[in-house]
Amino acid sequence: MKRVLSLVAALAVSTVATAAFAAGSSTIAGTKHNLSLGSTASYKVGAGGTGQICIFCHTPHNAAQNVPLWNRTANGTAAGGFTLYSSVTMVNSKHATGFTTDSISLFCMSCHDGSALGGTTMIKNQPADGTSTDVSLGGTGASEGIASGRAANLGTDLRSSHPINFRVLQSGTSNGLGDVTGNILKTSTVSGGFPLFASGGQDKYLECGSCHAVHDNTNIPFLRTTNDGSKLCLGCHVK
């Protein structure tokens, strides 16, 4: 009887876990971050040679980087090849001339700088059901990247973009930003707050992933909360 109960409990846990995974998978499946063969998004010019969705960024084994099981072998542009936003009012702008090499934002920019998205030079572990060499997001030719005319191509000059790869100091010394608790930055406007990341051997850096949830496009474009009434902005900035 104990074995039967244990088996039933294990199956229940497995069912819940499977359902949770399926829910997460279906969330990204209908977004522009689905680069697979099965994607029917109108923005795609070419189709990936694999039916897998996650393989373009993640791999379960032998990852290029262990966080988050990263499957892209290189960034399209080296860390020092970017120019970041900076201003005289920023507390910390020492990385304005480029990313730190361990910046999580480089993961995003490996696609959004306009460089190639697929192929053996960018994908470490190729999928068993095909290759990812023919992915195109509006670009043409060998680069197979994001076309320069598309908003998703941010390029390498990010001086007109929101600050990223900068350290957020504790409240009271961070120029009108919210409270920092652990690695979460928030104001009273939002309930959950926004994550900060490790970079340059230190913690509490604001990166692309602080404002964007790459697997969930409920709040377009992949925002962590709605920006109605500037809620996203006011979730970090005290105004």
Side-chain angles (χ1 to χ4, degrees):
M1 176 61 75
K2 288 183 178 179
R3 292 185 63 187
V4 172
L5 291 175
S6 297
L7 178 59
V8 171
L11 287 173
V13 170
S14 176
T15 301
V16 171
T18 301
F21 176 80
S25 178
S26 63
T27 299
I28 192 173
T31 74
K32 292 184 177 182
H33 283 169
N34 177 6
L35 307 179
S36 73
L37 183 64
S39 173
T40 58
S42 60
Y43 67 91
K44 292 188 67 177
V45 172
T50 174
Q52 296 185 47
I53 297 174
C54 304
I55 196 72
F56 292 92
C57 293
H58 304 290
T59 182
H61 305 290
N62 194 27
Q65 296 189 46
N66 64 344
V67 180
L69 291 175
W70 197 237
N71 195 31
R72 298 182 68 77
T73 57
N75 293 294
T77 306
F82 294 88
T83 304
L84 307 186
Y85 176 89
S86 180
S87 76
V88 295
T89 60
M90 289 178 62
V91 174
N92 189 334
S93 58
K94 67 178 181 179
H95 301 310
T97 56
F99 286 105
T100 51
T101 55
D102 60 347
S103 170
I104 196 90
S105 293
L106 276 177
F107 291 1
C108 306
M109 295 308 298
S110 69
C111 290
H112 288 279
D113 64 350
S115 60
L117 303 179
T120 56
T121 60
M122 295 298 291
I123 305 296
K124 182 179 181 182
N125 299 311
Q126 289 289 324
D129 61 340
T131 64
S132 58
T133 56
D134 57 348
V135 172
S136 178
L137 297 186
T140 57
S143 66
E144 297 173 344
I146 299 175
S148 59
R150 300 193 67 87
N153 183 355
L154 301 178
T156 59
D157 187 346
L158 305 180
R159 285 176 293 180
S160 60
S161 302
H162 193 280
I164 48 176
N165 203 204
F166 78 94
R167 194 179 184 205
V168 179
L169 303 181
Q170 295 292 340
S171 57
T173 59
S174 53
N175 286 346
L177 296 182
D179 294 323
V180 178
T181 303
N183 290 322
I184 299 295
L185 170 65
K186 72 180 297 290
T187 70
S188 59
T189 303
V190 293
S191 56
F194 303 101
L196 302 174
F197 298 87
S199 183
Q202 300 181 49
D203 60 0
K204 299 180 178 62
Y205 270 73
L206 190 141
E207 303 289 352
C208 299
S210 298
C211 295
H212 297 278
V214 297
H215 300 109
D216 185 355
N217 200 29
T218 301
N219 299 298
I220 300 172
F222 296 93
L223 299 179
R224 289 195 177 273
T225 188
T226 177
N227 206 22
D228 290 345
S230 297
K231 185 175 181 179
L232 181 76
C233 304
L234 296 175
C236 291
H237 297 272
V238 179
K239 297 294 183 182

